């Protein structure tokens, strides 16, 4: 049976996320962004901080957070993440990229790690500091891509 929802640790959903959505921190509350957007922001934070994927069950019970039907704009990105984490060194297993359960399991693990990062950010950084931190990540990424392209053009 196909998965209908992606989950996070219940402690994040019932505690941190509920409070987080009330504070309007970084304009990530429900009425400004979708739960799918928040979920993918958490995944991005986990990747930016170099966090290992953590199963939501390792934090405690899980709770449904976003329905898979709302992932239409993100399906390709989740597949790319799965490829990067699990398939890039084994091209003969490329058909595994079609295994949505495995792709979603990795997304859940990364989001769980990312919600931990986001919780830490909310507790330690104001919105302006977070904005500058994200700009710094973008600068580093741009420089990496720029250097890579330049090395190919030489």
């Amino acid at each position: 049976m196909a998965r209908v929802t992606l989950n996070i640790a219940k402690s994040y959903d019932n505690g941190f996320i509920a409070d987080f959505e009330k504070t309007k921190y970084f304009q990530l509350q429900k009425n400004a962004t979708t739960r799918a957007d928040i979920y993918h922001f958490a995944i991005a934070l986990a990747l930016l901080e170099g966090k290992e994927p953590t199963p939501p069950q390792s934090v405690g019970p899980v709770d449904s957070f976003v329905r898979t039907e709302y992932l239409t704009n993100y399906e390709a990105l989740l597949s790319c993440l799965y490829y990067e984490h699990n398939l890039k060194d084994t091209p003969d297993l490329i058909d595994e990229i079609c295994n949505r359960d495995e792709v979603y399991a990795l997304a859940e693990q990364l989001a769980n790690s990312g919600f931990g990062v986001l919780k830490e950010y909310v507790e330690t950084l104001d919105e302006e500091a977070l904005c500058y931190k994200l700009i710094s990540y973008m600068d580093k990424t741009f420089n990496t891509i720029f250097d890579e392209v330049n090395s190919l053009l030489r």
Side-chain angles (χ1 to χ4, degrees), residues 11 13 15 22 36 38-39 49 51 53-55 58-59 71 87 94 102 115 118-122 134 136 138 141 147:
S11 62
D13 195 23
K22 292 176 192 168
I38 294 171
Y39 200 84
E49 291 288 344
K51 299 291 183 179
T54 308
S58 68
V59 177
L71 299 176
L87 302 174
I94 192 66
E102 291 297 318
F115 279 116
L118 187 56
K119 183 175 189 257
E120 181 182 316
Y121 282 0
V122 169
L134 295 175
S136 170
M138 288 189 309
T141 302
D147 292 343

Side-chain angles (χ1 to χ4, degrees), residues 40 43 68 70-84 87 97-98 100 103-104 106-107:
H40 290 90
I43 290 172
T68 57
Y70 299 123
L71 299 176
T72 54
N73 296 332
Y74 297 106
E75 286 287 340
L77 290 172
L78 295 179
S79 294
C80 289
L81 285 174
Y82 185 77
Y83 174 83
E84 179 68 22
L87 302 174
I97 206 164
C98 297
R100 300 322 296 160
V103 170
Y104 292 157
L106 177 63

Side-chain angles (χ1 to χ4, degrees), residues 37-135:
D37 293 333
I38 294 171
Y39 200 84
H40 290 90
F41 185 67
I43 290 172
L45 290 177
L47 295 169
L48 287 171
E49 291 288 344
K51 299 291 183 179
E52 287 296 314
T54 308
Q57 299 83 351
S58 68
V59 177
V62 297
D63 208 0
S64 295
F65 191 75
V66 65
R67 294 181 58 83
T68 57
E69 67 190 74
Y70 299 123
L71 299 176
T72 54
N73 296 332
Y74 297 106
E75 286 287 340
L77 290 172
L78 295 179
S79 294
C80 289
L81 285 174
Y82 185 77
Y83 174 83
E84 179 68 22
H85 276 266
N86 299 317
L87 302 174
K88 71 178 180 181
D89 296 326
T90 53
D92 53 319
L93 298 176
I94 192 66
D95 289 341
E96 289 296 311
I97 206 164
C98 297
N99 184 339
R100 300 322 296 160
D101 286 338
E102 291 297 318
V103 170
Y104 292 157
L106 177 63
E108 284 179 340
Q109 293 171 15
L110 287 168
N112 190 63
S113 296
F115 279 116
V117 171
L118 187 56
K119 183 175 189 257
E120 181 182 316
Y121 282 0
V122 169
E123 293 170 351
T124 60
L125 298 174
D126 64 17
E127 292 178 78
E128 186 176 357
L130 175 58
C131 186
Y132 286 122
K133 186 173 191 78
L134 295 175
I135 289 170

